[in-house]
Amino acid sequence: MKIGVLALQGAFIEHIQCLEKLGVNGIEIRQSTDLDGLDGLILPGGESTVQGKLLHDLKMFDKIKQLISEGLPVLGTCAGLILLGANVINADSQNQNPHLGTLPVTVQRNAYGRQLGSFVHTGDVGAIETFPMEFIRAPYIKDVSNDVEILSRVDSKIVGVRYKNQIGLAFHPEMTDDLRIHKAFINLIKAS
Amino acid sequence: MDKTTQYELNKGLAQMLKGGVIMDVTTPEQAKIAEKAGACAVMALERIPADIRAAGGVSRMSDPKMIQSIQNAVSIPVMAKCRIGHFVEAQILEAIEIDYIDESEVLSPADDIYHIDKTAFHVPFVCGARDLGEALRRINEGASMIRSKGEPGTGDVIQAVRHIRKINAEIRRITSLNKDELYEAAKELRVPTTLVQYVHDHGKLPVVNFAAGGVATPADAALMMQLGAEGVFVGSGIFKSGNPKKRASAIVQAVTNYNDAKLIAKLSEDLGEAMVGINPDEIKVIMEERGI
């Protein structure tokens, strides 16, 4: 199994380390040709403005969007969720179409404010119980279309969703030692 | 929130900045240019290091109003500098909810013995270091991110290269030691054994390590990344150059694709004038010697 981790900027090494612990090969995706032959794709945390811009600069945007639309399993965490979101509030209005927009949800960027608003919360994520969720200058999901499955809420705010082949999380499973979410993603790939 | 959780989140924010470029900006307009060019964070300050050098005199924390105008202009994290040891400047920066404080040798030090006790704060700190001892002492004081000191405001990368190389060489030395030799190493470095133990076991600092000081070109930035930096600060190099927008964007792409010489060649084309620069042996104020 070959899972790509978008390695333009941010916490991509952490995801690759999680995959390695589960015996799966994680591949750094830095240019368009790296995208060939993937079984799954992870969009890591980082700054979504940077990642979105680099996706365009390095001519990877259309190809990734197409792969996801064709059913490639994808896991987006924090900035990755923002990249997937169809609507993004408080997005960087300066860049044109920086987002992939394949996940039919509305994401509120920097929803918890600046770094002083960052926090940890333990809660359920779908079938996974009591998962330690790290929120770092995190977004949350303000609205979802009807066919989106809600995986997790914190104080009534949606922080995890699944829509067909796409999982979007507002927090950072790669920042903990708990591998259950990565394991679930690998199982999703196996099942698809 | 307990201290350990807070520290983990603060180290975590630095991890999110990895592979990115943090740019010095002095106005909301510059901040927007930086954000648009792909900066992962901006450092808000009244004068960039090259101008601090030119102006001379005492250099202090920037006007909070000016910092807030930059916070309002961009959606990416905003950092700001306080003087070494000036914990009240740090309290002020925390009060305006800065995302990261740089306890920086670029400003005039307020204390020639003590650094700020950074464990007393909720907001994260980044500190400069020239070697492993300095890096670990700052981490022991509560820094959740390290950067090389370099020699700021020179446009000359030699000191940053020296510092990143030295830190990494000393890390390699620590990893080669026997366990019973770590106590003496800790004594030499003037830090607790637990920190030395971490470096020994993991072959890296316990926090993210960026390069800073004198980076002026895409090639400089890629050089720092190939030498093992996890990201790059660019201070005077961008807005002291002929075409800040283009240069900033080129440096961002060079940091992402630091091993791709063909791409960096292309990125290095037609960037206009680089900052003129000044050699460290031509200058009077050596900032890297501040706060060791």
Side-chain angles (χ1 to χ4, degrees):
Chain A
M1 184 185 292
K2 236 172 89 175
I3 300 182
V5 182
L6 190 67
L8 302 179
Q9 188 273 327
F12 50 87
I13 300 289
E14 289 79 353
H15 276 293
I16 288 172
Q17 287 164 350
C18 289
L19 294 173
E20 274 171 5
K21 282 182 199 161
L22 292 165
V24 171
N25 198 5
I27 295 157
E28 290 186 13
I29 307 293
R30 291 177 187 272
Q31 43 192 300
S32 192
T33 48
D34 297 335
L35 289 162
D36 298 332
L38 293 182
D39 299 303
L41 177 65
I42 294 178
L43 308 177
E47 279 304 318
S48 60
T49 50
V50 183
Q51 296 178 3
K53 178 179 188 294
L54 287 168
L55 279 180
H56 285 283
D57 288 349
L58 299 165
K59 312 254 184 296
M60 300 164 71
F61 185 88
D62 294 334
K63 192 163 173 182
I64 289 186
K65 192 168 173 163
Q66 191 191 342
L67 286 171
I68 296 172
S69 307
E70 288 170 2
L72 180 73
V74 60
L75 168 66
T77 62
C78 195
L81 164 67
I82 295 168
L83 286 182
L84 290 174
N87 301 301
V88 179
I89 302 172
N90 182 28
D92 175 14
S93 55
Q94 303 179 69
N95 290 325
Q96 290 216 313
N97 302 323
H99 302 104
L100 297 163
T102 51
L103 184 64
V105 300
T106 300
V107 185
Q108 171 89 45
R109 218 175 138 231
N110 294 337
Y112 298 95
R114 303 183 192 284
Q115 175 62 2
L116 282 175
S118 295
F119 64 101
V120 177
H121 177 90
T122 301
D124 299 347
V125 184
I128 298 166
E129 291 177 355
T130 59
F131 192 89
M133 301 184 259
E134 277 199 19
F135 292 84
I136 300 174
R137 280 178 52 98
Y140 61 62
I141 297 162
K142 232 180 155 172
D143 204 8
V144 300
S145 78
N146 288 334
D147 39 1
V148 172
E149 180 192 353
I150 293 168
L151 298 176
S152 188
R153 288 179 196 266
V154 174
D155 297 333
S156 81
K157 303 284 192 277
I158 303 167
V159 295
V161 293
R162 175 171 172 191
Y163 173 73
K164 297 179 185 170
N165 54 321
Q166 304 175 55
I167 298 174
L169 306 173
F171 55 92
H172 293 281
E174 77 280 13
M175 300 291 285
T176 66
D177 296 328
D178 196 323
L179 298 171
R180 285 179 292 167
I181 285 178
H182 287 86
K183 211 170 176 176
F185 182 58
I186 291 168
N187 289 335
L188 176 90
I189 294 171
K190 282 181 183 160
S192 66
Chain B
M1 194 185 314
D2 69 82
K3 286 270 171 202
T4 320
T5 308
Q6 183 80 59
Y7 189 57
E8 286 306 312
L9 288 168
N10 286 344
K11 281 199 295 184
L13 177 56
Q15 282 171 267
M16 295 307 142
L17 299 173
K18 276 184 309 182
V21 181
I22 300 168
M23 301 181 194
D24 279 2
V25 296
T26 58
T27 63
E29 291 69 36
Q30 286 186 355
K32 280 184 184 155
I33 292 172
E35 183 179 46
K36 199 175 174 187
C40 67
V42 290
M43 177 76 70
L45 70 177
E46 272 164 5
R47 277 201 291 251
I48 55 175
D51 291 336
I52 290 175
R53 267 187 199 291
V58 176
S59 180
R60 309 177 178 89
M61 179 190 76
S62 300
D63 182 340
K65 190 174 164 188
M66 172 264 163
I67 296 168
Q68 283 168 305
S69 72
I70 286 173
Q71 286 176 307
N72 293 332
V74 294
S75 64
I76 54 179
V78 178
M79 304 182 163
K81 292 181 192 292
C82 73
R83 284 180 267 176
I84 290 173
H86 204 314
F87 50 85
V88 174
E89 284 186 349
Q91 289 164 5
I92 292 168
L93 293 174
E94 181 168 69
I96 62 169
E97 296 198 19
I98 203 78
D99 290 303
Y100 241 98
I101 297 176
D102 184 1
E103 187 183 15
S104 177
E105 69 283 0
V106 169
L107 306 180
S108 309
D111 193 319
D112 56 1
I113 300 172
Y114 300 106
H115 278 75
I116 295 171
D117 172 13
K118 292 164 274 289
T119 63
F121 290 79
H122 295 291
V123 289
F125 280 81
V126 53
C127 287
R130 295 181 300 178
D131 53 39
L132 183 61
E134 283 187 29
L136 292 180
R137 288 196 289 281
R138 298 298 85 78
I139 293 165
N140 192 43
E141 292 155 3
S144 42
M145 179 178 183
I146 292 293
R147 55 169 176 75
S148 67
K149 283 180 170 170
E151 191 53 44
T154 59
D156 190 340
V157 82
I158 182 170
Q159 299 288 44
V161 167
R162 206 176 271 165
H163 300 160
I164 289 286
R165 273 195 185 274
K166 185 153 191 218
I167 290 170
N168 288 333
E170 288 178 325
I171 288 174
R172 286 194 297 274
R173 188 184 81 87
I174 295 291
T175 58
S176 71
L177 294 180
N178 282 327
K179 191 174 179 304
D180 62 356
E181 294 167 334
L182 296 181
Y183 303 100
E184 183 58 26
K187 241 188 287 177
E188 284 167 15
L189 296 167
R190 295 189 280 134
V191 292
T193 319
T194 46
L195 282 176
V196 180
Q197 182 82 50
Y198 182 95
V199 173
H200 176 264
D201 295 350
H202 296 84
K204 63 187 284 298
L205 293 177
V207 303
V208 166
N209 187 17
F210 269 46
V215 175
T217 66
D220 287 350
L223 172 68
M224 300 316 300
M225 294 299 286
Q226 287 197 25
L227 285 172
E230 295 178 279
V232 174
F233 283 83
V234 185
S236 319
I238 288 173
F239 289 100
K240 276 281 165 196
S241 74
N243 190 342
K245 217 177 275 186
K246 195 168 179 193
R247 183 169 293 268
S249 175
I251 291 176
V252 168
Q253 288 189 58
V255 166
T256 296
N257 288 287
Y258 60 88
N259 279 322
D260 189 340
K262 257 190 190 156
L263 180 68
I264 299 168
K266 214 165 168 45
L267 293 169
S268 306
E269 286 175 6
D270 299 324
L271 288 180
E273 198 117 346
M275 76 175 280
V276 175
I278 177 169
N279 298 316
D281 49 11
E282 292 169 355
I283 53 181
K284 287 199 192 102
V285 181
I286 305 296
M287 293 173 174
E288 61 152 320
E289 288 170 356
R290 294 167 167 176
I292 55 176

